Amino acid sequence: LAAVHWLAARGVPLSLVCVWGHSLGSGVAAQLAARLQRASTPLHSLVLEAPFYSARAAAITFPLTQVLRAIPMGMPLLCRSFKFGFRTADILPELSLPMLIFHGTSDSTVPIQHSRKLMRAMDDAKNTHARFVTLPKCDHLHALFQPAILAILAQFFKR
């Protein structure tokens, strides 16, 4: 939010600003977009790279939490520790700005099922503002190195 205020103070219209969130940042980016839309200062667009369905769902599927699954009450304690739920699936269907969601099919950090569930939530809400792109054989950190993504981004930002 501070970055948005900084831009606005320098005369940059928020209608020209795209917020981009990757992984954990996708929840923050979606929250910011929703907050600004509710304040009648919508952004130009939202890009989510390897987003998660919710913070809790991400914790459950995160590879390192396999250790916690073996400990009695390990996962319930972890899930209760989240102050913010970052329920991206509850936020995205309400947004009316253009959205691009892309995810690698080989992402083991945040599995692609998170993005697919987000798109189902969008479809269920009859929200047609999002485009979903799968990146074959791409992992969690290398989406921007995929040749196809640059053309997709260029097309998206031409709107």
Side-chain angles (χ1 to χ4, degrees):
L1 189 56
V4 169
H5 288 303
W6 186 87
L7 289 169
R10 282 149 184 80
V12 177
L14 294 185
S15 60
L16 298 177
V17 175
C18 170
V19 170
W20 186 311
H22 175 250
S23 194
L24 182 58
S26 66
V28 177
Q31 293 261 353
L32 176 61
R35 184 175 182 173
L36 292 171
Q37 181 174 285
R38 284 191 296 268
S40 299
T41 54
L43 298 164
H44 173 271
S45 54
L46 176 66
V47 175
L48 301 179
E49 178 183 354
F52 54 80
Y53 183 79
S54 70
R56 181 180 181 157
I60 290 168
T61 60
F62 191 67
L64 293 177
T65 60
Q66 290 179 6
V67 173
L68 289 175
R69 288 183 211 135
I71 301 169
M73 296 300 293
M75 287 307 292
L77 287 172
L78 174 69
C79 291
R80 265 191 244 128
S81 70
F82 288 109
K83 182 177 180 182
F84 302 105
F86 290 120
R87 294 195 43 83
T88 311
D90 293 342
I91 296 167
L92 292 189
E94 299 173 10
L95 296 178
S96 58
L97 69 162
M99 293 174 266
L100 176 64
I101 299 171
F102 60 95
H103 212 127
T105 59
S106 297
D107 189 336
S108 61
T109 304
V110 179
I112 194 169
Q113 288 77 6
H114 285 269
S115 285
R116 289 186 175 132
K117 284 179 75 175
L118 286 173
M119 290 308 295
R120 274 197 298 279
M122 297 286 286
D123 291 344
D124 291 348
K126 308 267 190 275
N127 185 321
T128 59
H129 297 288
R131 177 176 178 203
F132 178 48
V133 176
T134 59
L135 301 170
K137 299 179 183 175
C138 183
D139 64 15
H140 191 68
L141 298 175
H142 296 96
L144 292 178
F145 296 104
Q146 301 296 309
I149 198 63
L150 296 179
I152 291 165
L153 288 166
Q155 179 186 12
F156 178 73
F157 288 121
K158 280 184 183 176
R159 294 179 175 196

